[in-house]
Amino acid sequence: FTEEWLPSGHSTIKNDATGLYGQLTGVPKALLPGIGGKKILDFWWETVNTRQLFSEVYLVTNADKYKHYERWATANDFPVENVVNDGSTTLEGRLGAVADLELAIRSRKLQDDIMVIAGDMLCADQNFDIAQVLRFFRSKPGELAIYYELEEGEKSSSRGIVEVCPETHRISRFLEKPQEGVTALRLASVVFYCLRKATLPYLSDFLTLQPQAQDRTFGRFWEWIINEEKLPVFGMKLPTGFQLIGQVGLSDYTKWLAHYSAQQQQCPAKPITCRSYARVGLMGNPSDGFNGKTIAMTISNFWAEVTLMESQALVLLPHPLNDPTEFGSLQDLYCISRKEGYLGGLRLLQATCKKFYQFCSKQGAIVSATLKCLMKFYNITESDLPKPTRANFILNVETDELFITAGLQDRVVQVYEGLVYMDFSKQLMDEQGYGDYIPMDMSSLPPFWLAYLSDPSDSGRIHSNVRQRWLNGEAEVVEAMKSFAGLTDQARSVYTEDCLGPGNLKMVQLARQFGSAAKLPGSGGAVVGLCLDQVRLVEMRRAFQEAGCVFCVIVPYNPSGTIGTNSQD
């Protein structure tokens, strides 16, 4: 199964003039409700799983939607380890459909015939038998592409159009989304293919020829294969009723969505939504908690987002993914609880509101985003709550209210945003209650990369007992923190494998094999690195992916809106 990127700001439900479908905004197309209330992906998983026709089933998605599919997997007995995260978080940073398929093949070392299905397709005929596709594929000496006849009013420019010999069923011509008037053909290809084991190397050859993600579509791949006669490709026509979600009307959804539309409430005020971007520590961390100096940067690859709406009562709404209250089964609850524990985002919202009330009565990222919303809602200005004080506020929410092990660096960089130099010397902290924070020029940033484990650890575990040892005046820890940047070996003797974990050290060692500088960015289970050689960067990405890690190129977040020199490959 594959997941398709939608342009930023576009809903998965198009042409919604009624306003009844806002509940589904942001839901991946494959997880939209289908016929009978089942999600579209439920139908396909049941189809391929019931007949036991496949040795393994994999689902490829981007990092932005990964959590949705992880939840779906645990609720539907789909192997979570078979959900492949391609690391992309934006449309601009996408890998492309063919690159996603090649990633799954390479990272999972697949060496067999494969079937590719777009997870967002819905077949109106619920009795559709996938075995008939396999039988047709095995009866032909080549690849298989599924097609259907365009319905009246459906434009050929929205599809890959095929010309099929009625006698041999061989596809003789492929046009990727031709302009209106170019062809009278009305047979449209969909993302439903069968490829032979011997054909898989052609995927890498194609990707080499197409460096741009927008050209790495299955349509372009088949256009290349068919029009240049590299391999024989045969076409099978699906029965009437086969449809692609997102390209048809909303009639199939009206009944299912009636329940949600009845619960919709009119808000007298426009909702306030604020983001706080993720950060990476570039130098000096974790000396921020030990009167040291650091440089950190916010990145736009990842973020926390909080929405505040006016209401009669103060209600904290659980996030359906991060604060689940409904589970597919007892086993689903067990798996989620074992992996993520019992502490979601609600505790951060509640603690922030409590601290905010205390602040008003006297005069992580989720906390930072929540505070932004509260300041807007209550018209709290920069002079009322200056940035240095705001960073202390956020840290106090986490340390005093929730007893989370944390330092000031993350809170400072998320308040100031961009690239920030921070001096937390004891003299400054004692005299003014905060450090010296200086925004830095981002115009000449080199290209950074980020890799993380699929099951990362908590950074609080990484800090372990080091802070207590520092407070106790242990000479080794005190001296290491004073000269953290230069004394790498001494610092490592403080943060041993017991503190850092073998997974983190393994990622650092893997990066060094490619001559890339790497360090922990401040969160457990991740490393940030610098690689100026684009060829080695591509090789390193492949190595991390094959080691089971998620890899992405960092996109710095600059609050001024100015784009730096850091670019994505």
Side-chain angles (χ1 to χ4, degrees), residues 364-386:
I366 295 177
V367 177
S368 178
T370 305
L371 185 57
K372 288 180 182 178
C373 283
L374 289 170
M375 289 180 66
K376 283 188 177 182
F377 188 83
Y378 287 103
N379 296 315
I380 302 295
T381 65
E382 292 280 342
S383 59
D384 295 325
L385 190 55

Side-chain angles (χ1 to χ4, degrees), residues 506-534:
K506 180 182 177 182
M507 287 190 290
V508 172
Q509 292 163 0
L510 182 58
R512 288 177 177 173
Q513 291 176 19
F514 291 88
S516 179
K519 67 181 292 294
L520 304 187
S523 294
V527 292
V528 61
L530 177 63
C531 183
L532 301 179
D533 187 328
Q534 289 296 309

Side-chain angles (χ1 to χ4, degrees), residues 68-80:
H68 288 271
Y69 289 106
E70 183 182 52
R71 286 281 191 264
W72 173 85
T74 58
N76 289 274
D77 292 326
F78 185 94
V80 176

